[in-house]
């Protein structure tokens, strides 16, 4: 039984299955990079910034740097594995090739937490900026009963459902069409944040940076754990391995390039925000549309914040689109291996996209976004992502030792120091998250293990192959 739990799927087999052409290879390097930037640059900076500043003060800039360093180690490992195993599935596929089926399932289960829950959090933030735009422009806001989830003053978050449905309709049209629209929204999003920095720096007051780190290193680390949510998504390009035109070359470049872009933007926006508005004016629980509030306080006028809110409404939608895309491709890969039902791998012959997969994922995300508050979603997403990133770093070490002969289009520099530091940094941020979040994660993992032993292990195609022709799949509890 122990052997069956840790059986690995040969790299050659994974790559061969990924090259069968079920999905259409249509995405360029620019589109891949914009998918990763689109999945990363969103609610983390537009909303979570306001949640983190009260924990750390002006040193929020260092918290962003700490989170970026943590993400960088994992990004380098992702880049190596993406160039070596260029298929859909992201870290799920990588761990299946390096550490075995059970660990792959754990990684995939964490990715469900990362992608599905993070896009729900993004959808919640989108609704808040939509309301802020209505308030600034038309002096009108949606009733709290239909614009906030239970626990935040409402009954159902209708705007969150709307943005998920819009993204779903676009994804059903095809990967290339989705990538083109996403690229337009990403450029708009970057333009909006540049606009924010320009306006905020006109009201920059160095006195707002004193004291710089009122909570000390503990505050920097605590805020770093929270703003790590802002870096979730740079791995989105790795989920497009079977739809990239030149995956071995473009996937590593897209992953590293997107992380550099978002880090520069985050540091600039964070510095502009705390320089224009004293950190004590950021209130936890009132963080929605926090950048819009900075502009309104800094200029005394409503039009700059109205422009920011409108840009955020359009731009955050790109996160929903990109992350939903990644989630469907991960489930596609898991379904191809038999670990989740076959419905997730059925591809439309017309649009070359997994239609039923997209519909199911969209329904789940819309429901989650409609009823769960943002704060709980963001923290749960961060811990799931950190765990998956840690596994990717370990995967690089294992694959270097087990298959040194593989062609690698990118090699993690300073090996093995880089992946080891990646594991340590991820573990450090996990332990700084609050105990409730850690407990929720443990419960999530326990549920995942129940699902694996009740369904996935018995339906694993690799298990059936191991059982031999004409033999039933390995059953629960079988040796």
């Amino acid at each position: 039984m122990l052997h069956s739990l840790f059986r690995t799927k040969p790299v050659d087999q994974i790559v061969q299955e990924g090259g069968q052409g079920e999905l259409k290879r249509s995405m360029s390097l620019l589109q891949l990079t914009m998918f990763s930037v689109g999945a990363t640059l969103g609610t983390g900076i537009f909303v979570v910034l306001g949640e983190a500043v009260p924990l750390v003060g002006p040193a929020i800039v260092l918290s962003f740097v700490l989170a970026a360093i943590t993400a960088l180690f994992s990004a380098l490992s992702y880049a190596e594995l993406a160039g070596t195993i260029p298929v859909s599935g992201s870290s799920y596929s990588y761990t299946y090739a390096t550490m075995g089926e059970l660990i792959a399932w754990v990684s995939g289960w964490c990715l469900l937490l990362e992608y599905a829950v993070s896009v729900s959090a993004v959808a919640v933030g989108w609704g808040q900026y939509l309301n802020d735009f209505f308030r600034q422009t038309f002096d009108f806001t949606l009733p709290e009963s239909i614009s906030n989830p239970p626990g935040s003053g409402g009954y159902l978050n209708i705007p969150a459902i709307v943005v998920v449905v819009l993204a779903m309709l676009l994804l059903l049209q095809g990967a290339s069409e989705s990538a083109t629209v996403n690229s337009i929204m990403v450029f708009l999003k970057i333009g909006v944040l540049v606009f924010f920095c320009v306006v905020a720096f006109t009201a920059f007051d160095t006195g707002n940076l004193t004291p710089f780190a009122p909570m000390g290193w503990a505050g920097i680390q605590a805020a770093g754990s929270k703003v790590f949510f802002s870096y979730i998504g740079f791995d989105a390009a790795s989920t497009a391995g079977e739809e990239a035109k030149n995956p071995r070359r473009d996937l590593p470049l897209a992953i590293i390039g997107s992380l550099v872009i978002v880090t520069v933007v985050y540091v600039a926006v964070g510095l502009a925000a705390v320089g224009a508005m004293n950190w004590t004016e950021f209130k936890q629980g009132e963080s929605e549309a926090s950048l819009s509030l900075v502009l309104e306080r800094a200029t005394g006028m409503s039009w700059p914040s109205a422009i920011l809110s409108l840009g955020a409404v359009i731009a955050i939608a790109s996160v929903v689109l990109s992350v939903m895309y990644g989630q469907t491709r991960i489930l596609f890969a898991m379904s191809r291996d038999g670990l989740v039902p076959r419905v997730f791998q059925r591809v439309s012959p017309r649009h070359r996209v997994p239609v039923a997969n997209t519909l199911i994922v969209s329904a789940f995300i819309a429901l989650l976004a409609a009823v769960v508050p943002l704060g709980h979603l963001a923290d749960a997403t961060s811990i799931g992502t950190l765990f998956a990133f840690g596994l990717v770093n370990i995967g690089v070490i294992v694959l270097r030792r087990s298959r040194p002969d593989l062609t690698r289009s990118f090699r993690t520099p300073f090996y093995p120091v880089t992946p080891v530091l990646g594991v340590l940094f991820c573990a450090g941020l996990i332990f700084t998250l609050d105990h409730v979040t850690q407990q929720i994660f443990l419960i999530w993992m326990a549920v995942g293990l129940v699902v694996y032993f009740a369904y996935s292990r018995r339906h694993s195609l690799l298990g059936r192959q191991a059982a031999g022709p004409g033999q039933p799949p390995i059953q629960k509890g079988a040796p």
Side-chain angles (χ1 to χ4, degrees), residues 44-61 64 129 196 200 205 208-209 214-215 226-227 268-298 308:
I45 190 65
F46 281 103
V47 178
V48 174
L49 175 69
E51 289 279 345
V53 169
L55 300 176
V56 65
I60 184 65
V61 175
F64 274 121
Y129 269 98
F196 168 83
D205 181 358
N208 287 335
L209 302 183
M215 314 300 180
K226 187 167 287 288
V227 302
V269 171
L271 181 61
V274 294
M277 188 171 82
N278 192 278
W279 71 275
T280 58
E281 296 183 59
F282 290 84
K283 305 295 182 183
Q284 282 190 312
E286 302 175 7
S287 61
E288 291 83 358
S290 55
L291 296 189
S292 180
L293 178 63
V294 169
L295 292 187
E296 192 172 351
R297 296 279 183 87
L308 181 81

Side-chain angles (χ1 to χ4, degrees), residues 339-354:
L339 301 189
V340 297
R342 291 178 60 85
V343 66
F344 289 101
Q345 71 177 105
R346 294 174 186 165
V347 176
S348 163
R350 179 182 178 186
H351 296 291
R352 304 280 288 277
V353 296

Side-chain angles (χ1 to χ4, degrees), residues 28-53:
S28 65
L29 173 59
L30 176 63
Q31 289 176 320
L32 290 168
T33 304
M34 291 302 101
F35 246 117
S36 284
V37 174
T40 311
L41 196 60
T43 302
I45 190 65
F46 281 103
V47 178
V48 174
L49 175 69
E51 289 279 345
V53 169

Side-chain angles (χ1 to χ4, degrees), residues 66-363:
L66 174 62
I69 293 172
T70 303
L72 176 61
F73 291 130
S74 298
L76 293 171
S77 293
Y78 260 101
E80 175 168 329
L81 293 180
T84 309
I85 313 173
V87 296
S88 297
S90 187
S91 61
Y92 158 76
S93 296
Y94 308 152
T95 51
Y96 212 161
T98 56
M99 287 177 278
E101 185 172 284
L102 178 61
I103 306 301
W105 169 261
V106 169
S107 179
W109 194 247
C110 287
L111 290 176
L112 292 180
L113 191 62
E114 173 188 349
Y115 280 81
V117 179
S118 69
V119 78
S120 300
V122 168
V124 173
W126 184 84
Q128 300 294 345
Y129 269 98
L130 179 66
N131 238 353
D132 192 68
F133 172 71
F134 285 155
R135 178 181 64 84
Q136 297 280 2
T137 308
F138 306 111
D139 196 24
F140 158 80
T141 58
L142 296 171
E144 286 193 357
S145 59
I146 63 169
S147 60
N148 285 312
S152 295
Y155 298 103
L156 198 65
N157 193 328
I158 299 298
I161 297 175
V162 170
V163 72
V164 171
V165 171
L166 291 175
M168 177 195 73
L169 294 175
L170 183 56
L171 287 172
L172 291 175
Q173 299 306 306
S176 180
E177 292 80 1
S178 301
T180 299
V181 173
N182 174 73
S183 296
I184 295 171
M185 290 193 289
V186 169
F187 283 118
L188 173 62
K189 173 162 45 179
I190 293 175
V192 167
L193 291 173
V194 170
F195 168 78
F196 168 83
C197 289
V198 170
V199 175
F201 274 120
T202 63
F204 194 89
D205 181 358
T206 55
N208 287 335
L209 302 183
T210 305
F212 184 70
M215 314 300 180
W217 173 250
I220 294 172
Q221 194 171 17
S225 300
K226 187 167 287 288
V227 302
F228 186 81
F229 176 79
S230 306
Y231 289 91
I232 292 170
F234 72 80
D235 58 326
S238 67
T239 67
E242 294 173 40
E243 289 162 288
K245 293 179 180 178
N246 190 350
R248 291 190 184 276
R249 183 200 69 181
D250 293 347
L251 292 181
L253 292 174
I255 291 169
I256 302 300
S258 62
L259 182 60
V260 172
I261 291 171
V262 298
T263 299
V264 171
V265 172
Y266 285 163
V267 171
V269 171
L271 181 61
V274 294
M277 188 171 82
N278 192 278
W279 71 275
T280 58
E281 296 183 59
F282 290 84
K283 305 295 182 183
Q284 282 190 312
E286 302 175 7
S287 61
E288 291 83 358
S290 55
L291 296 189
S292 180
L293 178 63
V294 169
L295 292 187
E296 192 172 351
R297 296 279 183 87
T299 64
M301 297 179 288
S302 61
W303 68 264
S305 55
I307 292 176
L308 181 81
S309 296
L310 176 61
V313 166
I314 299 171
I316 292 178
S318 72
V319 182
V320 177
L321 176 66
S322 302
V323 178
M324 282 178 58
Y325 166 85
Q327 178 65 89
T328 59
R329 272 43 179 187
I330 291 166
L331 284 170
F332 173 84
M334 296 177 73
S335 178
R336 186 165 56 195
D337 293 330
L339 301 189
V340 297
R342 291 178 60 85
V343 66
F344 289 101
Q345 71 177 105
R346 294 174 186 165
V347 176
S348 163
R350 179 182 178 186
H351 296 291
R352 304 280 288 277
V353 296
V355 174
N357 183 342
T358 303
L359 293 173
I360 295 170
V361 167
S362 300

